[in-house]
Amino acid sequence: MLKKLRALASIVGVGVALFGACVARADTVNVMYAGSLVHMMEQRVAPAFEKSTGLTFQGYAGGSNALANQIRGKLRRADVFISASPTVNDSLMGAANGNWVTWYAGFAESQLLIGYNPQSRFAQSLLTQRWDKALTQPGIRIGRTDPKLDPKGAFTIKLLDQAQHLYQEPDLSARMLGDPENPEQVMPEETLVGRLQSGQLDAGFFYTTETTDLRIPAVRLPADFDIKASYTITVLNNAPNDAGGRRFVAFLLSDEGQQLLRASGIDVKTPKIGGDASAVPADLQPVLARAVSAE
């Protein structure tokens, strides 16, 4: 009997310890954000936010859909969620999806383009040939993200669908990408830049914020293709540190925060509220109303 009691006490103790680890710290703000923002968030935003507020930034990056899946599945908790597509928020809204999101604000955009390794033997052709011709050369190694887990991956598929129609080449996507989930090309968003810079890839599909922040040579797509990330931000319902989450949103949309966004190659937009606008916290309503400082 004594052994059973000791075992029970041990289990309870572990449970308490685990619960304690999940309890929010008032001085820490947990932000889950689109992987395309890694460098900007960790190198620009986080230090400035901590200096301005005295709070600690704790970030976690990944494909927007993958992050939403983790939130919905209660695999990871956060105070703030930043997505690269407004539609991702829909998967977190309503009782069937856990009511994690009630409102969100679209605040910035970043154009899809082609980044390349300047040491690649295909670099010159990317500068002199039409983009689709350069990317269908034999042997070229292309990197992209999973269309099921990340908006950028889905945008890449959309780009090729449009190009097939515009160029009247119905097999273009198959020749350039292979299967939509081709394992030789599809990789986690947060690893794509590193693989390109290390020479494991010749080229890949990126946003302007990634190529600007990390000085990756890039080729812009023709004006016929206007495909871009549309970043949104929200404070999650039942956030462990709701107050801290609101302070982070206020900082990112402040004049200082917007200057950091622009320095990272992001096109700052007047916030557009999605979901239930009446649910926006009272202290954030004036922030959203006055956002977008003068250039």
Side-chain angles (χ1 to χ4, degrees):
M1 182 64 180
L2 183 58
K3 288 183 178 180
K4 290 183 178 180
L5 288 174
R6 286 175 176 169
L8 179 60
S10 177
I11 293 172
V12 170
V14 171
V16 169
L18 289 173
F19 177 79
C22 296
V23 173
R25 291 185 54 182
D27 63 347
T28 300
V29 180
N30 285 280
V31 180
M32 294 178 73
Y33 60 87
S36 55
L37 301 176
V38 168
H39 189 271
M40 183 196 79
M41 295 295 286
E42 301 297 337
Q43 302 301 317
R44 295 181 188 268
V45 173
F49 171 70
E50 293 181 345
K51 181 178 180 180
S52 174
T53 64
L55 299 175
T56 298
F57 173 92
Q58 182 67 50
Y60 184 81
S64 297
N65 296 92
L67 295 179
N69 291 340
Q70 292 183 42
I71 293 171
R72 191 170 55 251
K74 300 180 180 180
L75 300 177
R76 187 176 293 275
R77 297 197 68 184
D79 305 305
V80 175
F81 175 51
I82 300 177
S83 169
S85 173
T87 59
V88 176
N89 294 283
D90 296 339
S91 68
L92 295 171
M93 302 179 79
N97 294 315
N99 281 321
W100 292 102
V101 171
T102 303
W103 65 274
Y104 59 88
F107 67 96
E109 295 178 345
S110 190
Q111 204 77 28
L112 184 72
L113 41 63
I114 300 162
Y116 64 92
N117 186 315
Q119 304 304 318
S120 166
R121 62 188 177 94
F122 298 98
Q124 187 59 33
S125 60
L126 280 161
L127 296 175
T128 58
Q129 297 183 24
R130 199 173 73 184
W131 68 277
D132 59 303
K133 301 299 183 184
L135 292 181
T136 50
Q137 295 178 88
I140 191 167
R141 299 165 300 172
I142 300 172
R144 55 191 175 90
T145 58
D146 192 328
K148 291 183 178 180
L149 299 178
D150 179 52
K152 184 164 55 184
F155 292 153
T156 301
I157 300 298
K158 178 181 178 180
L159 167 65
L160 268 295
D161 287 343
Q162 292 182 4
Q164 288 185 151
H165 177 73
L166 181 65
Y167 299 146
Q168 297 184 347
E169 296 184 30
D171 64 342
L172 179 58
S173 182
R175 289 189 290 112
M176 185 184 300
L177 306 181
D179 186 84
E181 297 191 54
N182 179 359
E184 293 186 1
Q185 293 186 352
V186 172
M187 54 198 65
E189 184 175 30
E190 58 272 23
T191 70
L192 194 58
V193 167
R195 294 193 181 191
L196 179 74
Q197 293 178 322
S198 67
Q200 297 177 52
L201 299 173
D202 297 300
F205 293 91
F206 299 90
Y207 295 132
T208 51
T209 180
E210 297 171 290
T211 57
T212 298
D213 248 358
L214 296 167
R215 299 181 179 178
I216 295 172
V219 175
R220 287 187 175 273
L221 294 165
D224 302 292
F225 308 103
D226 185 25
I227 300 177
K228 62 189 71 173
S230 296
Y231 292 107
T232 68
I233 190 168
T234 188
V235 178
L236 293 168
N237 292 331
N238 301 313
N241 187 357
D242 182 81
R246 298 197 310 274
R247 290 186 69 182
F248 180 82
V249 173
F251 173 80
L252 193 63
L253 299 183
S254 69
D255 288 351
E256 182 180 0
Q258 292 183 354
Q259 289 173 8
L260 295 173
L261 293 173
R262 293 190 179 101
S264 296
I266 289 181
D267 187 9
V268 176
K269 297 293 182 180
T270 300
K272 182 178 180 180
I273 306 301
D276 184 0
S278 66
V280 176
D283 56 344
L284 288 181
Q285 291 177 12
V287 173
L288 293 170
R290 71 169 182 268
V292 183
S293 56
E295 295 284 353

